[in-house]
PDB file of all heavy atoms in Angstrom:
ATOM      1  N   SER A   1       7.388  -4.681  19.717  1.00  0.00           N
ATOM      2  CA  SER A   1       8.347  -5.259  18.784  1.00  0.00           C
ATOM      3  C   SER A   1       9.329  -6.141  19.555  1.00  0.00           C
ATOM      4  O   SER A   1      10.036  -5.668  20.451  1.00  0.00           O
ATOM      5  CB  SER A   1       9.102  -4.156  18.045  1.00  0.00           C
ATOM      6  OG  SER A   1      10.014  -4.709  17.118  1.00  0.00           O
ATOM      7  N   VAL A   2       9.369  -7.418  19.209  1.00  0.00           N
ATOM      8  CA  VAL A   2      10.201  -8.388  19.915  1.00  0.00           C
ATOM      9  C   VAL A   2      11.271  -8.922  18.965  1.00  0.00           C
ATOM     10  O   VAL A   2      10.954  -9.512  17.924  1.00  0.00           O
ATOM     11  CB  VAL A   2       9.360  -9.551  20.470  1.00  0.00           C
ATOM     12  CG1 VAL A   2      10.264 -10.568  21.169  1.00  0.00           C
ATOM     13  CG2 VAL A   2       8.290  -9.041  21.421  1.00  0.00           C
ATOM     14  N   ALA A   3      12.523  -8.707  19.316  1.00  0.00           N
ATOM     15  CA  ALA A   3      13.633  -9.189  18.488  1.00  0.00           C
ATOM     16  C   ALA A   3      13.844 -10.686  18.697  1.00  0.00           C
ATOM     17  O   ALA A   3      13.697 -11.202  19.807  1.00  0.00           O
ATOM     18  CB  ALA A   3      14.903  -8.424  18.834  1.00  0.00           C
ATOM     19  N   ASP A   4      14.207 -11.354  17.635  1.00  0.00           N
ATOM     20  CA  ASP A   4      14.518 -12.785  17.687  1.00  0.00           C
ATOM     21  C   ASP A   4      15.742 -13.034  16.811  1.00  0.00           C
ATOM     22  O   ASP A   4      15.659 -13.635  15.737  1.00  0.00           O
ATOM     23  CB  ASP A   4      13.323 -13.602  17.210  1.00  0.00           C
ATOM     24  CG  ASP A   4      13.487 -15.095  17.457  1.00  0.00           C
ATOM     25  OD1 ASP A   4      14.520 -15.498  18.027  1.00  0.00           O
ATOM     26  OD2 ASP A   4      12.584 -15.857  17.066  1.00  0.00           O
ATOM     27  N   PRO A   5      16.916 -12.575  17.253  1.00  0.00           N
ATOM     28  CA  PRO A   5      18.104 -12.594  16.392  1.00  0.00           C
ATOM     29  C   PRO A   5      18.646 -13.985  16.083  1.00  0.00           C
ATOM     30  O   PRO A   5      19.469 -14.130  15.174  1.00  0.00           O
ATOM     31  CB  PRO A   5      19.124 -11.777  17.194  1.00  0.00           C
ATOM     32  CG  PRO A   5      18.680 -11.916  18.619  1.00  0.00           C
ATOM     33  CD  PRO A   5      17.188 -11.974  18.566  1.00  0.00           C
ATOM     34  N   TYR A   6      18.188 -14.996  16.831  1.00  0.00           N
ATOM     35  CA  TYR A   6      18.706 -16.346  16.605  1.00  0.00           C
ATOM     36  C   TYR A   6      17.628 -17.268  16.023  1.00  0.00           C
ATOM     37  O   TYR A   6      17.687 -18.482  16.207  1.00  0.00           O
ATOM     38  CB  TYR A   6      19.264 -16.913  17.907  1.00  0.00           C
ATOM     39  CG  TYR A   6      20.355 -16.040  18.496  1.00  0.00           C
ATOM     40  CD1 TYR A   6      20.117 -15.300  19.650  1.00  0.00           C
ATOM     41  CD2 TYR A   6      21.589 -15.933  17.875  1.00  0.00           C
ATOM     42  CE1 TYR A   6      21.109 -14.471  20.183  1.00  0.00           C
ATOM     43  CE2 TYR A   6      22.577 -15.115  18.392  1.00  0.00           C
ATOM     44  CZ  TYR A   6      22.333 -14.385  19.545  1.00  0.00           C
ATOM     45  OH  TYR A   6      23.320 -13.574  20.059  1.00  0.00           O
ATOM     46  N   ARG A   7      16.676 -16.687  15.319  1.00  0.00           N
ATOM     47  CA  ARG A   7      15.567 -17.464  14.753  1.00  0.00           C
ATOM     48  C   ARG A   7      16.073 -18.628  13.894  1.00  0.00           C
ATOM     49  O   ARG A   7      15.472 -19.707  13.870  1.00  0.00           O
ATOM     50  CB  ARG A   7      14.673 -16.532  13.932  1.00  0.00           C
ATOM     51  CG  ARG A   7      13.520 -17.201  13.175  1.00  0.00           C
ATOM     52  CD  ARG A   7      12.396 -17.659  14.076  1.00  0.00           C
ATOM     53  NE  ARG A   7      11.792 -16.558  14.783  1.00  0.00           N
ATOM     54  CZ  ARG A   7      10.831 -15.767  14.311  1.00  0.00           C
ATOM     55  NH1 ARG A   7      10.378 -15.943  13.086  1.00  0.00           N
ATOM     56  NH2 ARG A   7      10.331 -14.795  15.058  1.00  0.00           N
ATOM     57  N   TRP A   8      17.167 -18.436  13.186  1.00  0.00           N
ATOM     58  CA  TRP A   8      17.666 -19.473  12.276  1.00  0.00           C
ATOM     59  C   TRP A   8      18.054 -20.756  13.010  1.00  0.00           C
ATOM     60  O   TRP A   8      18.057 -21.842  12.393  1.00  0.00           O
ATOM     61  CB  TRP A   8      18.853 -18.948  11.471  1.00  0.00           C
ATOM     62  CG  TRP A   8      20.082 -18.626  12.280  1.00  0.00           C
ATOM     63  CD1 TRP A   8      20.332 -17.499  12.994  1.00  0.00           C
ATOM     64  CD2 TRP A   8      21.233 -19.456  12.449  1.00  0.00           C
ATOM     65  NE1 TRP A   8      21.562 -17.556  13.603  1.00  0.00           N
ATOM     66  CE2 TRP A   8      22.148 -18.752  13.278  1.00  0.00           C
ATOM     67  CE3 TRP A   8      21.596 -20.720  11.969  1.00  0.00           C
ATOM     68  CZ2 TRP A   8      23.382 -19.278  13.654  1.00  0.00           C
ATOM     69  CZ3 TRP A   8      22.833 -21.247  12.337  1.00  0.00           C
ATOM     70  CH2 TRP A   8      23.707 -20.523  13.169  1.00  0.00           C
ATOM     71  N   LEU A   9      18.313 -20.647  14.305  1.00  0.00           N
ATOM     72  CA  LEU A   9      18.680 -21.842  15.068  1.00  0.00           C
ATOM     73  C   LEU A   9      17.489 -22.756  15.357  1.00  0.00           C
ATOM     74  O   LEU A   9      17.656 -23.843  15.914  1.00  0.00           O
ATOM     75  CB  LEU A   9      19.352 -21.439  16.383  1.00  0.00           C
ATOM     76  CG  LEU A   9      20.780 -20.905  16.266  1.00  0.00           C
ATOM     77  CD1 LEU A   9      21.263 -20.366  17.605  1.00  0.00           C
ATOM     78  CD2 LEU A   9      21.733 -21.984  15.746  1.00  0.00           C
ATOM     79  N   GLU A  10      16.298 -22.324  14.978  1.00  0.00           N
ATOM     80  CA  GLU A  10      15.129 -23.186  15.119  1.00  0.00           C
ATOM     81  C   GLU A  10      15.117 -24.303  14.080  1.00  0.00           C
ATOM     82  O   GLU A  10      14.420 -25.306  14.253  1.00  0.00           O
ATOM     83  CB  GLU A  10      13.845 -22.370  14.975  1.00  0.00           C
ATOM     84  CG  GLU A  10      13.594 -21.385  16.094  1.00  0.00           C
ATOM     85  CD  GLU A  10      12.358 -20.549  15.865  1.00  0.00           C
ATOM     86  OE1 GLU A  10      11.794 -20.598  14.746  1.00  0.00           O
ATOM     87  OE2 GLU A  10      11.951 -19.841  16.798  1.00  0.00           O
ATOM     88  N   ASP A  11      15.886 -24.163  13.004  1.00  0.00           N
ATOM     89  CA  ASP A  11      15.862 -25.149  11.920  1.00  0.00           C
ATOM     90  C   ASP A  11      16.385 -26.499  12.393  1.00  0.00           C
ATOM     91  O   ASP A  11      17.246 -26.585  13.283  1.00  0.00           O
ATOM     92  CB  ASP A  11      16.698 -24.671  10.735  1.00  0.00           C
ATOM     93  CG  ASP A  11      16.025 -23.544   9.972  1.00  0.00           C
ATOM     94  OD1 ASP A  11      14.864 -23.219  10.296  1.00  0.00           O
ATOM     95  OD2 ASP A  11      16.664 -22.977   9.068  1.00  0.00           O
ATOM     96  N   ASP A  12      15.890 -27.552  11.761  1.00  0.00           N
ATOM     97  CA  ASP A  12      16.304 -28.916  12.076  1.00  0.00           C
ATOM     98  C   ASP A  12      17.775 -29.101  11.711  1.00  0.00           C
ATOM     99  O   ASP A  12      18.202 -28.777  10.598  1.00  0.00           O
ATOM    100  CB  ASP A  12      15.434 -29.897  11.294  1.00  0.00           C
ATOM    101  CG  ASP A  12      15.619 -31.345  11.725  1.00  0.00           C
ATOM    102  OD1 ASP A  12      16.660 -31.671  12.323  1.00  0.00           O
ATOM    103  OD2 ASP A  12      14.720 -32.160  11.463  1.00  0.00           O
ATOM    104  N   VAL A  13      18.544 -29.649  12.636  1.00  0.00           N
ATOM    105  CA  VAL A  13      19.976 -29.852  12.418  1.00  0.00           C
ATOM    106  C   VAL A  13      20.236 -30.786  11.249  1.00  0.00           C
ATOM    107  O   VAL A  13      21.291 -30.737  10.611  1.00  0.00           O
ATOM    108  CB  VAL A  13      20.622 -30.394  13.709  1.00  0.00           C
ATOM    109  CG1 VAL A  13      20.138 -31.797  14.028  1.00  0.00           C
ATOM    110  CG2 VAL A  13      22.133 -30.362  13.628  1.00  0.00           C
ATOM    111  N   ARG A  14      19.268 -31.657  10.921  1.00  0.00           N
ATOM    112  CA  ARG A  14      19.434 -32.591   9.796  1.00  0.00           C
ATOM    113  C   ARG A  14      19.174 -31.925   8.448  1.00  0.00           C
ATOM    114  O   ARG A  14      19.482 -32.495   7.405  1.00  0.00           O
ATOM    115  CB  ARG A  14      18.480 -33.784   9.966  1.00  0.00           C
ATOM    116  CG  ARG A  14      18.905 -34.816  10.991  1.00  0.00           C
ATOM    117  CD  ARG A  14      17.730 -35.646  11.428  1.00  0.00           C
ATOM    118  NE  ARG A  14      16.823 -34.830  12.214  1.00  0.00           N
ATOM    119  CZ  ARG A  14      16.880 -34.735  13.547  1.00  0.00           C
ATOM    120  NH1 ARG A  14      17.780 -35.424  14.209  1.00  0.00           N
ATOM    121  NH2 ARG A  14      16.043 -33.970  14.200  1.00  0.00           N
ATOM    122  N   VAL A  15      18.579 -30.740   8.491  1.00  0.00           N
ATOM    123  CA  VAL A  15      18.184 -30.057   7.261  1.00  0.00           C
ATOM    124  C   VAL A  15      19.065 -28.846   6.979  1.00  0.00           C
ATOM    125  O   VAL A  15      19.433 -28.585   5.829  1.00  0.00           O
ATOM    126  CB  VAL A  15      16.701 -29.636   7.346  1.00  0.00           C
ATOM    127  CG1 VAL A  15      16.292 -28.827   6.122  1.00  0.00           C
ATOM    128  CG2 VAL A  15      15.807 -30.862   7.501  1.00  0.00           C
ATOM    129  N   ASN A  16      19.434 -28.099   8.003  1.00  0.00           N
ATOM    130  CA  ASN A  16      20.199 -26.865   7.848  1.00  0.00           C
ATOM    131  C   ASN A  16      21.658 -27.124   8.219  1.00  0.00           C
ATOM    132  O   ASN A  16      21.987 -27.362   9.388  1.00  0.00           O
ATOM    133  CB  ASN A  16      19.606 -25.770   8.735  1.00  0.00           C
ATOM    134  CG  ASN A  16      20.221 -24.406   8.475  1.00  0.00           C
ATOM    135  OD1 ASN A  16      21.423 -24.274   8.273  1.00  0.00           O
ATOM    136  ND2 ASN A  16      19.386 -23.374   8.503  1.00  0.00           N
ATOM    137  N   GLU A  17      22.539 -27.065   7.246  1.00  0.00           N
ATOM    138  CA  GLU A  17      23.959 -27.356   7.490  1.00  0.00           C
ATOM    139  C   GLU A  17      24.595 -26.324   8.410  1.00  0.00           C
ATOM    140  O   GLU A  17      25.526 -26.650   9.169  1.00  0.00           O
ATOM    141  CB  GLU A  17      24.715 -27.410   6.161  1.00  0.00           C
ATOM    142  CG  GLU A  17      24.333 -28.599   5.293  1.00  0.00           C
ATOM    143  CD  GLU A  17      25.176 -28.671   4.034  1.00  0.00           C
ATOM    144  OE1 GLU A  17      26.077 -27.815   3.870  1.00  0.00           O
ATOM    145  OE2 GLU A  17      24.941 -29.583   3.210  1.00  0.00           O
ATOM    146  N   ASP A  18      24.134 -25.078   8.351  1.00  0.00           N
ATOM    147  CA  ASP A  18      24.688 -24.055   9.236  1.00  0.00           C
ATOM    148  C   ASP A  18      24.382 -24.376  10.697  1.00  0.00           C
ATOM    149  O   ASP A  18      25.225 -24.166  11.582  1.00  0.00           O
ATOM    150  CB  ASP A  18      24.122 -22.678   8.873  1.00  0.00           C
ATOM    151  CG  ASP A  18      24.622 -22.176   7.524  1.00  0.00           C
ATOM    152  OD1 ASP A  18      25.701 -22.620   7.088  1.00  0.00           O
ATOM    153  OD2 ASP A  18      23.928 -21.349   6.914  1.00  0.00           O
ATOM    154  N   VAL A  19      23.186 -24.878  10.962  1.00  0.00           N
ATOM    155  CA  VAL A  19      22.837 -25.278  12.328  1.00  0.00           C
ATOM    156  C   VAL A  19      23.697 -26.462  12.756  1.00  0.00           C
ATOM    157  O   VAL A  19      24.193 -26.512  13.889  1.00  0.00           O
ATOM    158  CB  VAL A  19      21.339 -25.618  12.435  1.00  0.00           C
ATOM    159  CG1 VAL A  19      21.001 -26.127  13.837  1.00  0.00           C
ATOM    160  CG2 VAL A  19      20.483 -24.406  12.102  1.00  0.00           C
ATOM    161  N   ALA A  20      23.903 -27.411  11.853  1.00  0.00           N
ATOM    162  CA  ALA A  20      24.735 -28.575  12.175  1.00  0.00           C
ATOM    163  C   ALA A  20      26.165 -28.148  12.502  1.00  0.00           C
ATOM    164  O   ALA A  20      26.783 -28.675  13.450  1.00  0.00           O
ATOM    165  CB  ALA A  20      24.727 -29.557  11.007  1.00  0.00           C
ATOM    166  N   THR A  21      26.699 -27.203  11.751  1.00  0.00           N
ATOM    167  CA  THR A  21      28.050 -26.702  12.017  1.00  0.00           C
ATOM    168  C   THR A  21      28.109 -26.009  13.367  1.00  0.00           C
ATOM    169  O   THR A  21      29.068 -26.182  14.131  1.00  0.00           O
ATOM    170  CB  THR A  21      28.478 -25.725  10.904  1.00  0.00           C
ATOM    171  OG1 THR A  21      28.477 -26.411   9.656  1.00  0.00           O
ATOM    172  CG2 THR A  21      29.858 -25.159  11.172  1.00  0.00           C
ATOM    173  N   TRP A  22      27.089 -25.218  13.677  1.00  0.00           N
ATOM    174  CA  TRP A  22      27.015 -24.535  14.971  1.00  0.00           C
ATOM    175  C   TRP A  22      26.964 -25.546  16.110  1.00  0.00           C
ATOM    176  O   TRP A  22      27.635 -25.381  17.140  1.00  0.00           O
ATOM    177  CB  TRP A  22      25.779 -23.630  14.989  1.00  0.00           C
ATOM    178  CG  TRP A  22      25.583 -22.842  16.253  1.00  0.00           C
ATOM    179  CD1 TRP A  22      26.077 -21.607  16.534  1.00  0.00           C
ATOM    180  CD2 TRP A  22      24.818 -23.241  17.391  1.00  0.00           C
ATOM    181  NE1 TRP A  22      25.677 -21.204  17.792  1.00  0.00           N
ATOM    182  CE2 TRP A  22      24.896 -22.194  18.336  1.00  0.00           C
ATOM    183  CE3 TRP A  22      24.082 -24.375  17.710  1.00  0.00           C
ATOM    184  CZ2 TRP A  22      24.262 -22.246  19.574  1.00  0.00           C
ATOM    185  CZ3 TRP A  22      23.449 -24.443  18.951  1.00  0.00           C
ATOM    186  CH2 TRP A  22      23.538 -23.389  19.864  1.00  0.00           C
ATOM    187  N   VAL A  23      26.171 -26.602  15.954  1.00  0.00           N
ATOM    188  CA  VAL A  23      26.071 -27.648  16.977  1.00  0.00           C
ATOM    189  C   VAL A  23      27.432 -28.293  17.216  1.00  0.00           C
ATOM    190  O   VAL A  23      27.860 -28.494  18.363  1.00  0.00           O
ATOM    191  CB  VAL A  23      25.019 -28.707  16.571  1.00  0.00           C
ATOM    192  CG1 VAL A  23      25.159 -29.964  17.428  1.00  0.00           C
ATOM    193  CG2 VAL A  23      23.610 -28.134  16.688  1.00  0.00           C
ATOM    194  N   ASP A  24      28.132 -28.619  16.152  1.00  0.00           N
ATOM    195  CA  ASP A  24      29.454 -29.238  16.294  1.00  0.00           C
ATOM    196  C   ASP A  24      30.419 -28.308  17.029  1.00  0.00           C
ATOM    197  O   ASP A  24      31.200 -28.761  17.891  1.00  0.00           O
ATOM    198  CB  ASP A  24      30.024 -29.579  14.918  1.00  0.00           C
ATOM    199  CG  ASP A  24      29.300 -30.731  14.241  1.00  0.00           C
ATOM    200  OD1 ASP A  24      28.599 -31.482  14.958  1.00  0.00           O
ATOM    201  OD2 ASP A  24      29.429 -30.873  13.015  1.00  0.00           O
ATOM    202  N   ALA A  25      30.359 -27.021  16.722  1.00  0.00           N
ATOM    203  CA  ALA A  25      31.257 -26.061  17.365  1.00  0.00           C
ATOM    204  C   ALA A  25      30.938 -25.924  18.851  1.00  0.00           C
ATOM    205  O   ALA A  25      31.844 -25.862  19.690  1.00  0.00           O
ATOM    206  CB  ALA A  25      31.162 -24.703  16.667  1.00  0.00           C
ATOM    207  N   GLN A  26      29.653 -25.879  19.191  1.00  0.00           N
ATOM    208  CA  GLN A  26      29.268 -25.777  20.599  1.00  0.00           C
ATOM    209  C   GLN A  26      29.683 -27.028  21.366  1.00  0.00           C
ATOM    210  O   GLN A  26      30.225 -26.948  22.479  1.00  0.00           O
ATOM    211  CB  GLN A  26      27.757 -25.560  20.718  1.00  0.00           C
ATOM    212  CG  GLN A  26      27.268 -24.196  20.265  1.00  0.00           C
ATOM    213  CD  GLN A  26      27.593 -23.087  21.264  1.00  0.00           C
ATOM    214  OE1 GLN A  26      27.980 -23.340  22.404  1.00  0.00           O
ATOM    215  NE2 GLN A  26      27.453 -21.852  20.825  1.00  0.00           N
ATOM    216  N   ASN A  27      29.438 -28.183  20.791  1.00  0.00           N
ATOM    217  CA  ASN A  27      29.816 -29.427  21.465  1.00  0.00           C
ATOM    218  C   ASN A  27      31.322 -29.528  21.661  1.00  0.00           C
ATOM    219  O   ASN A  27      31.793 -30.067  22.677  1.00  0.00           O
ATOM    220  CB  ASN A  27      29.318 -30.633  20.673  1.00  0.00           C
ATOM    221  CG  ASN A  27      27.912 -31.054  21.075  1.00  0.00           C
ATOM    222  OD1 ASN A  27      27.427 -30.704  22.145  1.00  0.00           O
ATOM    223  ND2 ASN A  27      27.254 -31.811  20.213  1.00  0.00           N
ATOM    224  N   ALA A  28      32.086 -29.026  20.724  1.00  0.00           N
ATOM    225  CA  ALA A  28      33.546 -29.082  20.852  1.00  0.00           C
ATOM    226  C   ALA A  28      34.014 -28.273  22.054  1.00  0.00           C
ATOM    227  O   ALA A  28      34.876 -28.730  22.830  1.00  0.00           O
ATOM    228  CB  ALA A  28      34.200 -28.561  19.566  1.00  0.00           C
ATOM    229  N   VAL A  29      33.469 -27.073  22.227  1.00  0.00           N
ATOM    230  CA  VAL A  29      33.839 -26.236  23.376  1.00  0.00           C
ATOM    231  C   VAL A  29      33.407 -26.901  24.675  1.00  0.00           C
ATOM    232  O   VAL A  29      34.165 -26.963  25.657  1.00  0.00           O
ATOM    233  CB  VAL A  29      33.210 -24.834  23.244  1.00  0.00           C
ATOM    234  CG1 VAL A  29      33.422 -24.025  24.525  1.00  0.00           C
ATOM    235  CG2 VAL A  29      33.797 -24.097  22.051  1.00  0.00           C
ATOM    236  N   THR A  30      32.171 -27.414  24.681  1.00  0.00           N
ATOM    237  CA  THR A  30      31.656 -28.050  25.894  1.00  0.00           C
ATOM    238  C   THR A  30      32.448 -29.297  26.249  1.00  0.00           C
ATOM    239  O   THR A  30      32.815 -29.511  27.418  1.00  0.00           O
ATOM    240  CB  THR A  30      30.170 -28.400  25.703  1.00  0.00           C
ATOM    241  OG1 THR A  30      29.433 -27.196  25.465  1.00  0.00           O
ATOM    242  CG2 THR A  30      29.607 -29.090  26.935  1.00  0.00           C
ATOM    243  N   ASP A  31      32.715 -30.140  25.267  1.00  0.00           N
ATOM    244  CA  ASP A  31      33.457 -31.374  25.527  1.00  0.00           C
ATOM    245  C   ASP A  31      34.849 -31.076  26.078  1.00  0.00           C
ATOM    246  O   ASP A  31      35.328 -31.774  26.994  1.00  0.00           O
ATOM    247  CB  ASP A  31      33.570 -32.209  24.251  1.00  0.00           C
ATOM    248  CG  ASP A  31      32.239 -32.798  23.810  1.00  0.00           C
ATOM    249  OD1 ASP A  31      31.297 -32.787  24.624  1.00  0.00           O
ATOM    250  OD2 ASP A  31      32.151 -33.253  22.657  1.00  0.00           O
ATOM    251  N   GLU A  32      35.496 -30.061  25.531  1.00  0.00           N
ATOM    252  CA  GLU A  32      36.827 -29.711  26.018  1.00  0.00           C
ATOM    253  C   GLU A  32      36.767 -29.265  27.472  1.00  0.00           C
ATOM    254  O   GLU A  32      37.597 -29.675  28.298  1.00  0.00           O
ATOM    255  CB  GLU A  32      37.433 -28.607  25.157  1.00  0.00           C
ATOM    256  CG  GLU A  32      38.845 -28.199  25.604  1.00  0.00           C
ATOM    257  CD  GLU A  32      39.437 -27.102  24.740  1.00  0.00           C
ATOM    258  OE1 GLU A  32      38.764 -26.632  23.806  1.00  0.00           O
ATOM    259  OE2 GLU A  32      40.598 -26.716  25.017  1.00  0.00           O
ATOM    260  N   TYR A  33      35.770 -28.455  27.806  1.00  0.00           N
ATOM    261  CA  TYR A  33      35.643 -27.977  29.186  1.00  0.00           C
ATOM    262  C   TYR A  33      35.322 -29.134  30.142  1.00  0.00           C
ATOM    263  O   TYR A  33      35.958 -29.280  31.192  1.00  0.00           O
ATOM    264  CB  TYR A  33      34.554 -26.908  29.280  1.00  0.00           C
ATOM    265  CG  TYR A  33      34.354 -26.403  30.691  1.00  0.00           C
ATOM    266  CD1 TYR A  33      35.156 -25.395  31.202  1.00  0.00           C
ATOM    267  CD2 TYR A  33      33.386 -26.960  31.513  1.00  0.00           C
ATOM    268  CE1 TYR A  33      34.999 -24.940  32.505  1.00  0.00           C
ATOM    269  CE2 TYR A  33      33.221 -26.524  32.819  1.00  0.00           C
ATOM    270  CZ  TYR A  33      34.026 -25.507  33.303  1.00  0.00           C
ATOM    271  OH  TYR A  33      33.868 -25.069  34.602  1.00  0.00           O
ATOM    272  N   LEU A  34      34.327 -29.942  29.770  1.00  0.00           N
ATOM    273  CA  LEU A  34      33.942 -31.047  30.656  1.00  0.00           C
ATOM    274  C   LEU A  34      35.095 -32.024  30.855  1.00  0.00           C
ATOM    275  O   LEU A  34      35.221 -32.641  31.922  1.00  0.00           O
ATOM    276  CB  LEU A  34      32.720 -31.765  30.087  1.00  0.00           C
ATOM    277  CG  LEU A  34      31.427 -30.944  30.023  1.00  0.00           C
ATOM    278  CD1 LEU A  34      30.327 -31.733  29.317  1.00  0.00           C
ATOM    279  CD2 LEU A  34      30.970 -30.531  31.416  1.00  0.00           C
ATOM    280  N   GLY A  35      35.931 -32.157  29.838  1.00  0.00           N
ATOM    281  CA  GLY A  35      37.075 -33.048  29.956  1.00  0.00           C
ATOM    282  C   GLY A  35      38.104 -32.589  30.962  1.00  0.00           C
ATOM    283  O   GLY A  35      38.949 -33.379  31.401  1.00  0.00           O
ATOM    284  N   THR A  36      38.059 -31.304  31.340  1.00  0.00           N
ATOM    285  CA  THR A  36      39.011 -30.796  32.330  1.00  0.00           C
ATOM    286  C   THR A  36      38.491 -30.921  33.753  1.00  0.00           C
ATOM    287  O   THR A  36      39.252 -30.685  34.707  1.00  0.00           O
ATOM    288  CB  THR A  36      39.307 -29.307  32.061  1.00  0.00           C
ATOM    289  OG1 THR A  36      38.124 -28.532  32.300  1.00  0.00           O
ATOM    290  CG2 THR A  36      39.790 -29.085  30.643  1.00  0.00           C
ATOM    291  N   LEU A  37      37.232 -31.286  33.936  1.00  0.00           N
ATOM    292  CA  LEU A  37      36.679 -31.392  35.295  1.00  0.00           C
ATOM    293  C   LEU A  37      37.380 -32.522  36.040  1.00  0.00           C
ATOM    294  O   LEU A  37      37.405 -33.663  35.572  1.00  0.00           O
ATOM    295  CB  LEU A  37      35.177 -31.644  35.234  1.00  0.00           C
ATOM    296  CG  LEU A  37      34.335 -30.516  34.618  1.00  0.00           C
ATOM    297  CD1 LEU A  37      32.869 -30.937  34.528  1.00  0.00           C
ATOM    298  CD2 LEU A  37      34.462 -29.232  35.442  1.00  0.00           C
ATOM    299  N   PRO A  38      37.901 -32.245  37.205  1.00  0.00           N
ATOM    300  CA  PRO A  38      38.755 -33.232  37.883  1.00  0.00           C
ATOM    301  C   PRO A  38      38.031 -34.489  38.329  1.00  0.00           C
ATOM    302  O   PRO A  38      38.652 -35.539  38.463  1.00  0.00           O
ATOM    303  CB  PRO A  38      39.299 -32.446  39.079  1.00  0.00           C
ATOM    304  CG  PRO A  38      38.317 -31.339  39.300  1.00  0.00           C
ATOM    305  CD  PRO A  38      37.812 -30.970  37.950  1.00  0.00           C
TER     306      PRO A  38
END
């Protein structure tokens, strides 16, 4: 038995609004961090 708790993230970002929202949230955290690199 193999768990796949993030299966919903396989959906196309153009089709699944929840995936699109998740992508925006991840990019926001990443962009903020990268912006602090000296």
Side-chain angles (χ1 to χ4, degrees):
S1 181
V2 178
D4 190 2
Y6 302 109
R7 175 73 61 85
W8 65 279
L9 287 172
E10 292 177 350
D11 287 354
D12 190 339
V13 67
R14 283 160 291 268
V15 176
N16 188 320
E17 292 184 2
D18 291 336
V19 176
T21 299
W22 181 89
V23 165
D24 289 342
Q26 290 285 347
N27 271 341
V29 172
T30 299
D31 291 346
E32 181 180 1
Y33 179 84
L34 295 175
T36 67
L37 296 176

